[in-house]
Amino acid sequence: MSGQHPSTAHATPSFPWQYVIGFILSLVLTVIPLWLVLDHVWKPTPLVIGILLCAVLQIFVQLFMFMHFTHGDGNGPAYQTVILSIGFFFAIIFIGASIWIMSFGYQVQ
Amino acid sequence: MLWFARFVVTFVTPTNEGSVNPNSLREIAIPARKGERAVQRGFPPHFGKLATMVAAMAVLLTGCSPEYVVFNPVGPVAKTELHLIILSTILVAIVVIPVLILLAVIVYRYRDKPGNNAPYSPQWVDSKKLEIVWWGIPIIIIAILGAFTAKTTFSLTKPPENNVKPITIQVVSLNWKWLFEYPDQKIATVNYVNIPTGVPVQFELTSDAPMNSFWIPQLGGQEYTMPGMAMRLWLQADKPGTYSGYGANFSGEGFAHMNFKVNSMSEADFTNWVNQVKSSSPALTMAGYNQLKQDSLAKQQSYSSYPPGLFNDVVMQNGGQYMYKQQMPGASDSTGNSSGSMDMSNMDMGNSDSGQ
Amino acid sequence: MTTTAHAPAENHHGAGHIHVDYPDRPVEYQTEDGALKILGFWVFLATDLILFSCLFATFIVLRSHVDGGPTGKELFDIPSFVAETFILLTSSFTGGLATFEMHRDKRNRVVGWLIVTVLLGLSFVGLEVKEFVHMAMDGATLQRSAFLSAFFTLVGTHGCHVSLGILWMTGIIIQLVRFGINPITARKVFIVNMYWHFLDVVWVFLFTVVYLMGVM
Amino acid sequence: MNPIPHWGIFITEPMILGSDVMIVLVSVAIVFALTKFRKWGWLWREWLTTVDHKKIGIMYLIAALLMLFRGGVDAELMRTQLALPNMTFLDAEHYDEIFTTHGTIMILFMAMPFIFAMFNIAVPLQIGARDVAYPYLNAISFWMFFLGALLLNISFVIGGSPDAGWTSYPPLSELGFSNGPGENYYLLALSISGIGSIATGINFLVTILKMRAPGMTLWRMPLFTWSVLAACILILFAFPALTVALALLLLDRALGAHFFTILHGGDPMMFINLFWIWGHPEVYIVILPAFGIFSEVISTFSKKATFGYGSMVFALMAISIVGFLTWVHHFFTMGSGADVNTFFAIATMVIAIPTGVKVFNWLFTMYRGRIRMSLPMMWAIAFIPCFAIGGATGVMLAVAPADYQYHNSYFLIAHFHQVLIGGTVFGMLAGMYYWWPKMFGFLLNERLGRWAFWFFNIGFYVCFLPQYALGFMGMTRRIYTYPSGLGWTVPNFISTIGAYLMGIGFVFMVWQIIYSIKYGERDLTGDPWDGRTLEWSLPSPAPHYNFATIPTIQGRDAWWLAKQGELSKADFLPAKDELKPIHMPKNSGRPFILSLWFFVLGLGLTFGVVPMDVIAGIGIAYCLFRRSFEYDTDYYIPVDEVIHTESALGRLQG
Ligand code: HEA
Ligand code: HEA
Ligand code: CUA
Ligand SMILES: [Cu+2]
């Protein structure tokens, strides 16, 4: 996944399509959960899953449309893809496991 | 591997009487004096003179003395735990002992001495077969150990005995003493706890001071006492006797002195004792409790009564961190947890407003 | 004998003074040092991600510990956090446009978009401060409950990140004006925008987990 | 408020005073010597402002040895107090402070700088780089660590030390129960040095990923470098959790927040959770580099490549990932639930599998090798039994229901000293002996080193084996005294003797170093151990640019292959006509000054002196701002100079 990024000024497209599309997507992905919550149609569990899903999609928008996530310097792999993936993995583990741990099964009710 | 011999001994011979300690608790509460030589006081004579290391090693090796409280369990919980300890020791020994032997042999055989004619093959640095062996054996061992661990972990959440009606004792760790309340008998004690032999005891644990840990090695393992929470620990004594209990989690200056005694006695003796406490001991008032709560050491004490609901009040005094219902006005408890299962009601966002 | 690298060139990245190791890479990657720093910044973002995840974990665990005090539902003002969200999303976009123009070597446009981004950032921080002050005046302070401690710390940490980003971006704008686009300033623009997009990602989760779930 | 009579106070205070006087005297002596020999400029130019990884490594090493001494003295004091029942040598207050600083210093300010010393000394040389990816940041890391350590150490002199254990659990560590500055010292010292650690993690990760010499593919990397890579992953994803835990506790204490207080819904258990999210990976952070060193040392001194290289690499990575899934084993007894405990118990045990594979591969590296008993190898061999037993008791601890009996007992203390000392300390000492000639250009005296080795090793077992027995006797940790009659006396007494033996071992080590500085044999070859990896192709010590020309690597253990004639040795020597000017970073005083500001900030926060904090904040901001506007950060070493240096070393070709 080495960076086949336009290397000079002249190879860059003249209109920032990628950014515009990304922006529109991010707006849509914000409006949807907002509407879902304010609209009160869904039950809590699917609602939470739904809005979290939108949030996760937003990550992808920022990473791929804005942040040049898969571009490296053209010399060797784009290591950040691996490192950030591990980072996301642990972030999920830490949050999920903390919730699980802090639920205290041995507690007297 | 010194204690290993002891495991074997414990495993094959029935355990001797559990009661151990000649010194009473009051001695512990007395501050240590300068120059007071411990050796002269209540030190079992068969230990001989302390200075000789040989004797000392012998003691460690035989280890048959009742001082090894963990190896002298007197209740089903501690016994189960001891069995796991023995099992895990044997399982890890299966790999570790060969490692030690291999190391000794290899280092001896392949040392770089002139005239050493052991083979030297610097190119031999890979072997699929061997690697499969030493990935495989640990995997098998861990699988066995893991299975036993899982089984026991779940089984210890239940009362050790199903046919006998359990009693409940509520435990509050204070700075730096232990308060025991008997909700059914309505009496309370400090720094000692009497329990009927053969009856499962449900200890409910909390703290009105920094967190501590409640540990009676001969009856079973410990559990934390934490402010704002009530935790459950099942223990049971199978034999009458006096056992040591410890505060196991550091809680400040007086922590070293947070020991207590557990007396296991027949149901009849227990009832007698309860009646005796009821008739002859003072009552624990709220003022008395507040006094007791102060940072200090304490002697053993008995109370004929205590403020009703004290335990619950202690748990709830700051809102009871995890008592969701009290805290989130308007929220319903749709999850309806039962004990021992996961309690996610206070975090599960999906359920948090199902009432609205 | 070249003993030192000289002060950055005046206008164009092709200008001779900066030591360019890889002329045919995108401008931010043209020096060895720049390439290393961009990867290093990615790694830093991974650590920052963990930092935020721990704050999120704390917030979620303490979310219900309101101690009889105000809850999220009572506190959060929907129009205000929705406005904050759209402002930040837009600023992420304008920051991206700055990177885009940088690759087209349009110094003035880069500066322009960065200024827009900074201004949006400022209004975001302004709204947030207003929100915090409002809450504090209603007695919902950091000291009131575990929930509020966690709320202010989580959202505040993000706010501090944004504020730092504003200062940093301002510094880079000045450098752009003074030195133009060259491999060094380009790398800085690129990195500060990575940072900015990352804060947008974090905010999306604040928006979802703290605010939306708070008012559910 | 204090129920326990302070009998020990008259003995203890002079001890503390004594150590303070020692510190002051040594400082005065240093100032005097520097002035007398006009060395201030030298100190500033060569050390305080250096960005050279080799010098930073040496400074880490010196700091680590000093902290080993400080933590060791703490240990000796504790062991003296515990030698007999009802001792009054230390009172509760001082004992509590001492075990807290002992644990904190040993892990954060001894083990961490020790591994960082090894990172710095060896990694760039092993992968054929001229420096790390960010030399300037590297200097910041060091000075942040150093001033963080200093902050904790002055607590004994100014204001009082922390006394809630190295784990610092709330609510004991909250304002309500610990209201002195001690706890603040702990929080700030750890935060400041923690920033440095994260920076080091980033630095070495990028260095290893991006700065390898041509031909040095990942699969040709020395195992020590691999272990550093694995440790960096652990650092990156673990340390932020510590930062958060400390910061939140600080918010509680300084601003009245309620994260971990008992009041207003705070939840102390969340601190425990966050602390161990960091804390468990932390122990693997300090062990993995030791594993790397053992791989290098065992292979070098057995004259055989490491057995099962692929497995070794895989095991390192597996440990670094699975190491993140085990943290609950430090609080099985908190009652998180049978499901939670089971999951984390099994995840913990799983670590034994890759670790065991490593042990077997080391054994089979020696098998059919030729084992030379030099000092590094002695420590490596001593490591195996010690760590195998300590790891095995770790697996026993991981059996959750059984841990209910071991938790917070001396069984636990014995376990972790066995892995920390038998693993990390032995490993770092092996590394120190191994790379010492590379660092300083002379060899350490073998005979004194052997004395140190035997005293330390025998002392170790005498000290810590009895502690397993104590655990089974119900002795809990962190008690400053115990009554007689429980059977604890004899094992404790033996243990104390062992601790003294280790102390003697350490004294021999210091003697060995001082003696060798004067009389040590010079290392003229650059390759005193008949080494295998790239660093041994360089002269000892290496020139400050490391490699005049970067060699192209054509195999694993390339230098060894070259010596065997399988590759050309000439590849590792610079050729005159290939030399180019060498691009190097400039020295800078700013890392030191920036860290000083952090130190001032820490001190100000510790005592709540707001003006101090404001000034320090401005200082920090100014340093960062200046750096951002600084473009003149590097220079070129002219070819002439390189030629001069290399031909003086007799290495130049053509
Ligand atoms: C360098 C540091 C280090 C290392 C490497 C380890 C390694 C391990 N540790 Fe340890 N540990 C600590 C430092 C370390 N630990 C510290 C400091 C504490 C206490 C902190 C405090 O409370 O203050 C602690 C506490 C601690 C606990 C908590 C106990 C309690 O508080 O009640 C547990 C429980 O599971 C545990 C388990 C393990 C395990 C399973 C390993 C494994 O990684 C070990 C793996 C190694 C082997 C198993 C040996 C080699 C293998 C073989 C020879 C072959 C295969 C073997 C088998 C199949 C059995 N450790
Ligand atoms: C890498 C980490 C590390 C290392 C190397 C050590 C080394 C030692 N430790 Fe430590 N220890 C910890 C980490 C470590 N420890 C931690 C994390 C804790 C938990 C703290 C807590 O509970 O919060 C702990 C706790 C701890 C306890 C339990 C305290 C308690 O709970 O009450 C004990 C008791 O025996 C102990 C003993 C020792 C001893 C004897 C050594 C010996 O190896 C020390 C050997 C001595 C030296 C290396 C140098 C000494 C030098 C001299 C004496 C020279 C004197 C000469 C002159 C003045 C000229 N340690
Ligand atoms: Cu810890 Cu409840
Ligand atoms: Cu651990």
Side-chain angles (χ1 to χ4, degrees):
Chain A
M1 192 50 76
S2 60
Q4 290 316 308
H5 194 87
S7 59
T8 62
H10 320 284
T12 309
S14 56
F15 187 79
W17 283 114
Q18 205 181 354
Y19 294 95
V20 172
I21 295 169
F23 183 48
I24 294 170
L25 279 176
S26 74
L27 292 180
V28 171
L29 287 170
T30 309
V31 172
I32 291 175
L34 191 61
W35 169 72
L36 283 179
V37 168
L38 298 182
D39 200 51
H40 290 289
V41 181
W42 289 8
K43 287 221 156 36
T45 311
L47 180 58
V48 167
I49 294 172
I51 63 179
L52 279 177
L53 201 71
C54 290
V56 171
L57 290 177
Q58 286 258 28
I59 301 181
F60 287 103
V61 171
Q62 298 282 332
L63 280 179
F64 289 95
M65 307 304 252
F66 291 174
M67 288 173 83
H68 308 261
F69 183 48
T70 52
H71 294 181
D73 57 9
N75 177 21
Y79 289 108
Q80 73 266 18
T81 51
V82 181
I83 292 162
L84 253 91
S85 306
I86 303 176
F88 280 114
F89 173 70
F90 285 135
I92 293 166
I93 295 276
F94 292 168
I95 295 174
S98 293
I99 295 171
W100 189 31
I101 291 161
M102 299 300 290
S103 62
F104 290 98
Y106 288 144
Q107 198 170 336
V108 177
Q109 293 298 308
Chain B
M1 298 272 98
L2 290 177
W3 66 94
F4 187 71
R6 179 63 197 148
F7 288 150
V8 179
V9 174
T10 321
F11 204 38
V12 290
T13 55
T15 50
N16 45 356
E17 281 308 300
S19 71
V20 191
N21 295 300
N23 64 320
S24 82
L25 182 95
R26 260 169 229 95
E27 272 181 52
I28 300 174
I30 294 169
R33 285 279 144 59
K34 192 176 183 166
E36 191 175 28
R37 291 307 300 264
V39 205
Q40 290 142 7
R41 204 160 43 88
F43 199 71
H46 69 266
F47 273 94
K49 276 281 175 287
L50 180 159
T52 55
M53 203 152 138
V54 187
M57 288 324 262
V59 168
L60 285 174
L61 271 171
T62 52
C64 53
S65 57
E67 272 85 2
Y68 288 84
V69 284
V70 173
F71 301 147
N72 288 294
V74 292
V77 178
K79 275 187 187 137
T80 312
E81 284 163 353
L82 179 61
H83 285 151
L84 264 186
I85 290 174
I86 293 166
L87 177 81
S88 60
T89 311
I90 292 170
L91 283 175
V92 299
I94 291 177
V95 208
V96 169
I97 289 174
V99 165
L100 301 183
I101 295 170
L102 261 178
L103 176 72
V105 171
I106 291 175
V107 168
Y108 179 77
R109 179 129 168 74
Y110 297 100
R111 71 208 185 288
D112 192 15
K113 279 268 166 57
N116 185 350
N117 53 9
Y120 171 54
S121 20
Q123 305 305 328
W124 186 68
V125 292
D126 240 326
S127 159
K128 281 275 154 325
K129 267 189 217 134
L130 282 174
E131 296 232 38
I132 288 171
V133 171
W134 57 66
W135 277 98
I137 292 174
I139 288 177
I140 293 168
I141 287 179
I142 295 305
I144 298 172
L145 194 55
F148 277 96
T149 302
K151 192 174 135 257
T152 317
T153 306
F154 280 95
S155 76
L156 286 183
T157 59
K158 298 183 200 82
E161 172 100 57
N162 280 326
N163 305 325
V164 186
K165 190 172 169 289
I167 75 162
T168 296
I169 299 176
Q170 295 170 327
V171 184
V172 186
S173 63
L174 300 169
N175 266 356
W176 289 283
K177 59 197 82 73
W178 293 92
L179 173 66
F180 299 92
E181 296 162 19
Y182 293 73
D184 299 326
Q185 289 73 19
K186 308 268 188 295
I187 60 168
T189 60
V190 168
N191 278 352
Y192 81 99
V193 55
N194 288 1
I195 56 171
T197 306
V199 176
V201 187
Q202 178 186 205
F203 286 102
E204 290 180 15
L205 313 170
T206 194
S207 175
D208 200 1
M211 139 183 169
N212 212 307
S213 190
F214 178 77
W215 186 28
I216 309 165
Q218 283 181 284
L219 300 192
Q222 63 196 291
E223 189 150 296
Y224 287 167
T225 63
M226 300 173 285
M229 295 178 72
M231 307 305 287
R232 178 186 286 120
L233 180 66
W234 286 103
L235 295 177
Q236 178 178 321
D238 286 341
K239 289 192 200 93
T242 298
Y243 314 111
S244 295
Y246 303 97
N249 195 77
F250 182 62
S251 63
E253 258 188 278
F255 167 69
H257 302 284
M258 279 192 73
N259 310 329
F260 57 94
K261 280 284 172 287
V262 185
N263 305 303
S264 165
M265 49 186 66
S266 69
E267 295 237 32
D269 286 351
F270 180 74
T271 319
N272 282 344
W273 168 76
V274 170
N275 291 333
Q276 195 200 329
V277 169
K278 279 204 155 140
S279 59
S280 61
S281 296
L284 179 64
T285 59
M286 207 53 216
Y289 175 74
N290 287 328
Q291 180 67 33
L292 197 64
K293 219 169 97 169
Q294 302 304 312
D295 290 358
S296 64
L297 301 182
K299 299 180 175 170
Q300 295 187 354
Q301 270 149 54
S302 316
Y303 299 103
S304 58
S305 70
Y306 62 89
L310 179 61
F311 183 84
N312 207 42
D313 292 348
V314 167
V315 175
M316 299 306 297
Q317 62 186 338
N318 298 306
Q321 292 153 24
Y322 307 101
M323 305 302 154
Y324 182 71
K325 274 181 283 177
Q326 267 88 359
Q327 289 201 349
M328 282 285 268
S332 78
D333 63 335
S334 55
T335 38
N337 291 280
S338 54
S339 69
S341 72
M342 264 171 58
D343 173 6
M344 301 273 291
S345 61
N346 54 333
M347 349 272 179
D348 187 340
M349 295 155 292
N351 287 315
S352 61
D353 78 335
S354 49
Q356 285 163 5
Chain C
M1 186 100 309
T2 21
T3 47
T4 52
H6 298 274
E10 214 55 35
N11 40 34
H12 193 270
H13 68 266
H17 291 308
I18 289 184
H19 178 85
V20 172
D21 300 295
Y22 307 101
D24 46 339
R25 288 180 180 179
V27 55
E28 66 271 16
Y29 284 113
Q30 280 177 0
T31 65
E32 184 68 57
D33 189 50
L36 288 176
K37 282 190 170 144
I38 291 170
L39 179 58
F41 199 78
W42 277 112
V43 181
F44 165 77
L45 287 184
T47 68
D48 222 26
L49 175 72
I50 300 295
L51 183 115
F52 274 108
S53 81
C54 291
L55 288 172
F56 268 105
T58 311
F59 174 82
I60 295 171
V61 166
L62 296 179
R63 188 173 169 268
S64 58
H65 297 199
V66 293
D67 189 34
T71 62
K73 199 174 175 71
E74 296 156 29
L75 285 172
F76 301 148
D77 175 35
I78 297 177
S80 136
F81 74 75
V82 171
E84 286 169 33
T85 306
F86 284 113
I87 290 173
L88 210 60
L89 285 178
T90 312
S91 78
S92 187
F93 173 58
T94 56
L97 291 180
T99 311
F100 176 78
E101 296 296 349
M102 179 185 86
H103 285 140
R104 299 179 0 124
D105 207 14
K106 302 270 198 300
R107 200 253 321 251
N108 292 345
R109 292 196 190 182
V110 177
V111 170
W113 284 124
L114 286 182
I115 290 175
V116 174
T117 309
V118 165
L119 290 177
L120 287 169
L122 280 172
S123 48
F124 169 85
V125 173
L127 273 180
E128 189 166 298
V129 170
K130 192 172 141 240
E131 185 196 349
F132 279 13
V133 171
H134 216 277
M135 286 183 178
M137 302 231 289
D138 291 348
T141 59
L142 179 87
Q143 293 84 3
R144 177 60 192 83
S145 69
F147 158 67
L148 284 168
S149 299
F151 167 78
F152 281 113
T153 306
L154 172 56
V155 180
T157 304
H158 176 267
C160 288
H161 272 72
V162 174
S163 310
L164 190 76
I166 291 171
L167 290 177
W168 184 9
M169 223 178 244
T170 312
I172 292 170
I173 293 172
I174 297 171
Q175 293 179 34
L176 270 176
V177 170
R178 276 179 44 191
F179 309 130
I181 295 176
N182 62 45
I184 294 181
T185 52
R187 181 250 299 160
K188 293 186 181 192
V189 171
F190 190 79
I191 287 181
V192 82
N193 272 314
M194 277 163 66
Y195 180 72
W196 200 262
H197 300 312
F198 171 76
L199 291 181
D200 204 54
V201 170
V202 174
W203 178 263
V204 167
F205 278 84
L206 286 173
F207 169 71
T208 309
V209 174
V210 178
Y211 289 102
L212 284 184
M213 293 189 189
V215 299
M216 255 166 63
Chain D
M1 177 211 123
N2 185 348
I4 299 130
H6 284 217
W7 298 109
I9 201 153
F10 303 105
I11 309 174
T12 314
E13 291 303 5
M15 299 224 45
I16 305 288
L17 207 73
S19 75
D20 297 348
V21 169
M22 270 277 276
I23 294 169
V24 171
L25 281 181
V26 172
S27 317
V28 169
I30 292 173
V31 170
F32 179 78
L34 286 171
T35 314
K36 172 141 188 249
F37 299 108
R38 296 172 195 283
K39 288 289 193 189
W40 283 107
W42 166 83
L43 184 70
W44 177 258
R45 273 192 318 275
E46 296 289 318
W47 296 96
L48 299 188
T49 61
T50 188
V51 294
D52 179 350
H53 69 95
K54 298 181 286 303
K55 286 187 174 163
I56 289 175
I58 289 173
M59 291 194 290
Y60 269 124
L61 177 71
I62 294 170
L65 289 174
L66 283 174
M67 289 295 107
L68 180 59
F69 174 74
R70 161 70 214 266
V73 171
D74 283 348
E76 304 296 350
L77 292 176
M78 288 193 296
R79 279 314 326 161
T80 306
Q81 165 66 15
L82 293 178
L84 292 169
N86 301 319
M87 282 279 278
T88 52
F89 173 66
L90 298 173
D91 59 18
E93 200 187 333
H94 284 105
Y95 187 87
D96 297 349
E97 290 182 350
I98 288 173
F99 72 67
T100 303
T101 51
H102 167 75
T104 311
I105 286 179
M106 283 299 202
I107 302 237
L108 274 309
F109 301 132
M110 190 283 289
M112 289 301 279
F114 224 143
I115 65 165
F116 290 160
M118 299 301 147
F119 286 23
N120 273 287
I121 288 159
V123 169
L125 299 182
Q126 280 199 329
I127 62 174
R130 293 210 167 107
D131 206 319
V132 295
Y134 322 109
Y136 179 86
L137 187 68
N138 200 20
I140 294 181
S141 288
F142 172 75
W143 290 111
M144 293 289 260
F145 144 72
F146 186 82
L147 289 159
L150 195 66
L151 193 62
L152 191 84
N153 274 279
I154 62 167
S155 68
F156 252 107
V157 192
I158 312 172
S161 289
D163 60 358
W166 85 281
T167 49
S168 185
Y169 284 0
L172 185 62
S173 54
E174 289 279 3
L175 219 46
F177 300 101
S178 307
N179 56 10
E183 200 51 40
N184 296 349
Y185 270 123
Y186 166 94
L187 293 170
L188 290 154
L190 264 60
S191 305
I192 292 173
S193 65
I195 299 172
S197 302
I198 294 182
T200 303
I202 298 177
N203 212 336
F204 279 86
L205 183 72
V206 176
T207 303
I208 294 170
L209 291 179
K210 296 299 285 186
M211 297 185 63
R212 280 168 283 128
M216 166 88 59
T217 57
L218 287 175
W219 282 108
R220 288 179 181 166
M221 243 163 45
L223 279 166
F224 175 67
T225 303
W226 266 113
S227 75
V228 174
L229 183 72
C232 285
I233 292 176
L234 284 158
I235 291 175
L236 294 175
F237 299 120
F239 263 84
L242 177 68
T243 308
V244 170
L246 298 174
L248 301 188
L249 187 50
L250 195 64
L251 283 176
D252 274 4
R253 292 177 60 89
L255 296 183
H258 289 285
F259 288 101
F260 313 126
T261 58
I262 321 182
L263 291 174
H264 297 308
D267 188 345
M269 307 312 139
M270 191 60 197
F271 178 90
I272 300 181
N273 183 45
L274 288 172
F275 183 89
W276 288 115
I277 288 180
W278 163 77
H280 184 78
E282 165 67 11
V283 305
Y284 293 126
I285 292 171
V286 299
I287 199 72
L288 290 189
F291 287 175
I293 290 173
F294 293 128
S295 297
E296 303 289 312
V297 167
I298 288 177
S299 131
T300 301
F301 290 92
S302 307
K303 291 203 181 186
K304 199 162 158 257
T306 306
F307 199 87
Y309 178 92
S311 278
M312 291 303 246
V313 172
F314 181 78
L316 282 171
M317 289 301 152
I319 294 172
S320 79
I321 299 294
V322 183
F324 278 105
L325 305 176
T326 67
W327 74 90
V328 173
H329 67 223
H330 293 278
F331 48 91
F332 280 146
T333 57
M334 189 166 95
S336 289
D339 43 3
V340 177
N341 280 7
T342 302
F343 174 84
F344 283 93
I346 291 175
T348 303
M349 294 171 189
V350 165
I351 309 258
I353 298 165
T355 315
V357 168
K358 296 192 77 75
V359 171
F360 285 110
N361 278 329
W362 286 317
L363 287 176
F364 277 75
T365 305
M366 292 190 271
Y367 182 74
R368 297 199 183 167
R370 275 289 171 270
I371 302 173
R372 285 171 296 155
M373 283 292 179
S374 296
L375 284 175
M377 188 59 170
M378 289 172 71
W379 287 98
I381 289 175
F383 146 83
I384 290 179
C386 193
F387 185 81
I389 297 171
T393 58
V395 173
M396 292 167 66
L397 284 165
V399 179
D403 181 61
Y404 277 52
Q405 290 282 31
Y406 308 125
H407 183 57
N408 279 346
S409 75
Y410 264 77
F411 186 92
L412 166 66
I413 304 284
H415 154 67
F416 72 68
H417 282 90
Q418 208 156 2
V419 280
L420 276 168
I421 296 178
T424 304
V425 175
F426 285 15
M428 292 308 124
L429 291 176
M432 179 182 88
Y433 285 118
Y434 185 56
W435 283 307
W436 187 278
K438 190 51 57 192
M439 281 184 267
F440 298 104
F442 64 89
L443 293 149
L444 287 171
N445 179 288
E446 281 267 332
R447 198 170 40 86
L448 287 169
R450 279 169 196 263
W451 280 102
F453 174 85
W454 286 111
F455 266 106
F456 208 84
N457 260 275
I458 294 171
F460 175 83
Y461 289 101
V462 175
C463 184
F464 290 106
L465 285 188
Q467 294 188 1
Y468 286 115
L470 283 170
F472 289 129
M473 294 177 174
M475 180 162 171
T476 53
R477 68 193 292 194
R478 294 174 177 170
I479 52 173
Y480 78 102
T481 188
Y482 55 93
S484 59
L486 296 171
W488 299 357
T489 311
V490 175
N492 267 304
F493 190 78
I494 298 173
S495 176
T496 303
I497 293 176
Y500 291 161
L501 293 178
M502 296 177 83
I504 297 174
F506 186 79
V507 172
F508 269 109
M509 211 174 295
V510 174
W511 181 11
Q512 175 195 23
I513 292 173
I514 295 172
Y515 177 90
S516 309
I517 289 175
K518 279 188 103 162
Y519 307 109
E521 182 193 330
R522 301 287 116 188
D523 169 30
L524 300 172
T525 61
D527 188 9
W529 312 121
D530 198 6
R532 314 175 68 87
T533 41
L534 214 50
E535 73 268 32
W536 304 111
S537 72
L538 292 169
S540 296
H544 73 286
Y545 46 76
N546 297 353
F547 297 89
T549 48
I550 307 282
T552 299
I553 308 303
Q554 284 161 18
R556 204 179 286 160
D557 289 351
W559 175 240
W560 177 258
L561 296 181
K563 287 192 290 187
Q564 300 300 100
E566 292 176 36
L567 295 175
S568 156
K569 223 170 163 175
D571 289 352
F572 299 90
L573 295 174
K576 196 164 184 174
D577 45 348
E578 284 173 16
L579 290 177
K580 295 197 188 81
I582 296 177
H583 191 198
M584 294 296 286
K586 278 187 176 166
N587 281 3
S588 169
R590 206 174 297 112
F592 177 68
I593 293 167
L594 176 72
S595 308
L596 264 185
W597 283 123
F598 270 97
F599 179 79
V600 175
L601 181 74
L603 207 57
L605 284 172
T606 299
F607 290 96
V609 189
V610 178
M612 222 163 133
D613 298 333
V614 173
I615 295 173
I618 295 171
I620 292 167
Y622 181 72
C623 285
L624 295 176
F625 180 79
R626 279 297 300 276
R627 173 65 181 180
S628 177
F629 277 79
E630 188 173 56
Y631 281 68
D632 182 18
T633 55
D634 41 11
Y635 72 105
Y636 283 86
I637 303 174
V639 174
D640 293 346
E641 193 185 318
V642 180
I643 291 177
H644 184 80
T645 314
E646 292 293 317
S647 47
L649 290 164
R651 292 167 52 83
L652 207 58
Q653 297 196 320

